Amino acid sequence: MTPLILAIDTSCDDTSAAVTQGVTVLSNIIASQTQLHTPYGGVFPTVAKQAHKENIDRVVDVAMRRANVESKNLSAIAVTQGPGLAPALEVGIHKAKELAEELRLPLIAVNHIEAHALSPLVEARKKNEIFKTLSAALADHHFPALSVIVSGGHTEFILINNIGDYERLGWKIDDAAGEALDKVGRMLNLGYPAGAVIEAMAKKGDPKRFKFPLPMTTQKDYHLSFSGMKTFSRNFIEQLEADKALNKQALYDFAASFQYAVFRHICYKLNKILQAFPIREVWLGGGVAANLTLRRMLRETLRLAGGRATDSRHPKIPLLVPYTKRLCMDNAAMIGVTAGFMFEHGKFATDYSAIERKPRWEVE
Ligand code: KG4
Ligand code: ZN
């Protein structure tokens, strides 16, 4: 039978629980704490921990009810072990151990970044309820694939030779892309998080008005750096203020130009990877993956790198994105689906005591 999994994610500021079967989502409940953290302009770890503690039981109950499954039919419990905020991770791991012990089930410790990487594989529940086996879900895919993860905490390129066989090719050496969007959003008093607000403003602006330098072009590696764009942003904003020219249109043009600079840097490094590796598919994940301009720019990069496809519906290097924006943000459904693959490969623990939070855990 395709493994049926109850998964939990409390890595940052969302409390989430989901039930998945193979790659299918049966429920995916997310209790957002955004409003609690807005006054701080970022996630405050002890506030996050307290909110996770208050929400976790209810979120798990609702996930089980929505999925309409009985706990006796579950194959395993899965939980994010890292990376993430240590106090936040602890709450999810504690709850997962409690459930695994009570239901006498194996416990699967999942890497949150691997889960973002696999999020484009996650599928919606269909009416006829035939759950694909995990190997059937992979039958349509071609490897090596490249995962592009763009979130508030991470921005990285991971080569996927196969599920479970990864190589990190490049990563952010300072701020993550989403973090840069949020920090510049704070300079403009856009509230937290600011990525989606900047996307909406950018739609009304000219991305070519303010020219940002393209970082890291002399380095041969595939790493990313977004912190210089913050300094540039501050200078542009101060100059506009000094000139009394920070009007609505200037703000829209600035948002469009800054967003374009962030995404152009990612596309530049992606192109370098495409020149060096025989990538067959690109899988996009993470909170910033919800951004339609990013998706369009990535598709254009793939089109140029892959040559003109004979059939435009089947480009040579397709971009796969999560089927709903809910799967871009932090969520437990991606944890459950990743755990399903691990379960099939026997990667689970029956001695739960060994599972401790790993706040800095990288994809291996
Ligand atoms: O993956 P995520 O929910 O949390 C982390 O694991 O980091 O990502 C959150 C990030 C925030 O920086 C937020 O500003 C950004 O995703 N974000 C967006 C959009 N929606 C969320 N950035 C750009 N455009 C969006 N539409
Ligand atoms: Zn995340």
Side-chain angles (χ1 to χ4, degrees):
M1 198 189 83
T2 314
L4 181 67
I5 292 181
L6 168 62
I8 294 172
D9 181 88
T10 60
S11 58
C12 190
D13 60 341
D14 293 313
T15 314
S16 183
V19 178
T20 57
Q21 183 149 34
V23 292
T24 306
V25 186
L26 305 190
S27 65
N28 187 21
I29 307 302
I30 305 169
S32 169
Q33 305 175 4
T34 305
Q35 281 185 338
L36 291 178
H37 299 287
T38 301
Y40 304 99
V43 180
F44 205 81
T46 47
V47 173
K49 177 178 177 169
Q50 188 53 34
H52 284 312
K53 275 181 149 176
E54 285 165 15
N55 288 334
I56 190 75
D57 291 344
R58 188 171 47 88
V59 167
V60 168
D61 285 348
V62 177
M64 286 298 286
R65 262 190 284 132
R66 276 285 162 84
N68 200 17
V69 295
E70 287 181 53
S71 53
K72 69 173 189 330
N73 294 326
L74 289 171
S75 317
I77 305 293
V79 68
T80 299
Q81 189 177 20
L85 298 171
L89 289 165
E90 196 180 283
V91 179
I93 293 172
H94 179 81
K95 178 71 185 175
K97 283 181 179 176
E98 200 180 272
L99 285 165
E101 242 157 63
E102 183 191 319
L103 301 169
R104 295 170 192 274
L105 287 172
L107 185 57
I108 308 173
V110 177
N111 181 299
H112 181 84
I113 301 300
E114 178 181 2
H116 272 304
L118 303 191
S119 61
L121 298 179
V122 179
E123 292 182 11
R125 186 177 200 166
K126 303 202 180 58
K127 281 215 176 86
N128 54 10
E129 301 259 298
I130 297 167
F131 297 108
K132 266 189 204 168
T133 61
L134 289 161
S135 52
L138 289 180
D140 297 335
H141 294 282
H142 303 284
F143 297 96
L146 179 75
S147 158
V148 180
I149 298 184
V150 194
S151 78
H154 299 266
T155 304
E156 55 191 80
F157 297 111
I158 302 167
L159 186 69
I160 306 180
N161 292 311
N162 216 320
I163 305 299
D165 178 0
Y166 308 113
E167 193 184 328
R168 283 173 90 223
L169 297 181
W171 51 87
K172 49 109 183 172
I173 57 166
D174 39 54
D175 293 345
E179 189 179 357
L181 290 166
D182 293 339
K183 284 180 176 170
V184 171
R186 187 151 63 178
M187 291 177 201
L188 297 169
N189 294 318
L190 300 181
Y192 172 85
V197 183
I198 290 179
E199 177 177 28
M201 289 169 64
K203 284 193 182 126
K204 301 175 194 159
D206 173 9
K208 301 282 162 69
R209 173 156 168 205
F210 299 101
K211 300 232 167 349
F212 285 74
L214 189 59
M216 314 263 289
T217 49
T218 50
Q219 285 92 333
K220 286 212 171 73
D221 57 42
Y222 310 117
H223 298 328
L224 299 145
S225 166
F226 297 96
S227 73
M229 292 182 196
K230 271 183 325 200
T231 320
F232 251 82
S233 297
R234 187 168 291 116
N235 293 342
F236 277 134
I237 295 167
E238 281 173 7
Q239 190 60 50
L240 284 167
E241 277 171 342
D243 297 346
K244 302 209 178 339
L246 196 58
N247 55 29
K248 240 185 195 166
Q249 193 54 49
L251 265 177
Y252 294 154
D253 291 344
F254 176 77
S257 302
F258 167 59
Q259 179 183 264
Y260 176 71
V262 170
F263 297 163
R264 190 163 81 109
H265 178 34
I266 296 171
C267 290
Y268 176 86
K269 291 289 176 161
L270 167 63
N271 186 51
K272 273 180 102 99
I273 292 175
L274 297 173
Q275 303 310 319
F277 296 86
I279 305 297
R280 306 278 308 275
E281 297 179 355
V282 172
W283 300 1
L284 180 63
V288 187
N291 188 295
L292 299 183
T293 302
L294 173 62
R295 293 179 182 191
R296 186 173 45 71
M297 288 174 66
L298 290 172
R299 285 202 180 94
E300 183 62 8
T301 306
L302 296 178
R303 189 182 68 76
L304 292 173
R308 194 169 288 280
T310 44
D311 179 350
S312 63
R313 282 168 308 163
H314 298 101
K316 285 185 181 161
I317 311 174
L319 180 74
L320 278 64
V321 298
Y323 80 83
T324 154
K325 287 189 179 177
R326 239 176 127 68
L327 288 165
C328 295
M329 63 193 290
D330 289 343
N331 69 90
M334 66 180 189
I335 304 297
V337 168
T338 306
F341 287 107
M342 294 172 72
F343 185 79
E344 287 211 330
H345 290 110
K347 290 190 202 164
F348 52 77
T350 41
D351 171 17
Y352 318 133
S353 60
I355 294 179
E356 296 293 344
R357 64 193 185 181
K358 290 185 183 173
R360 299 187 172 278
W361 190 17
E362 286 164 2
V363 170
E364 289 150 12

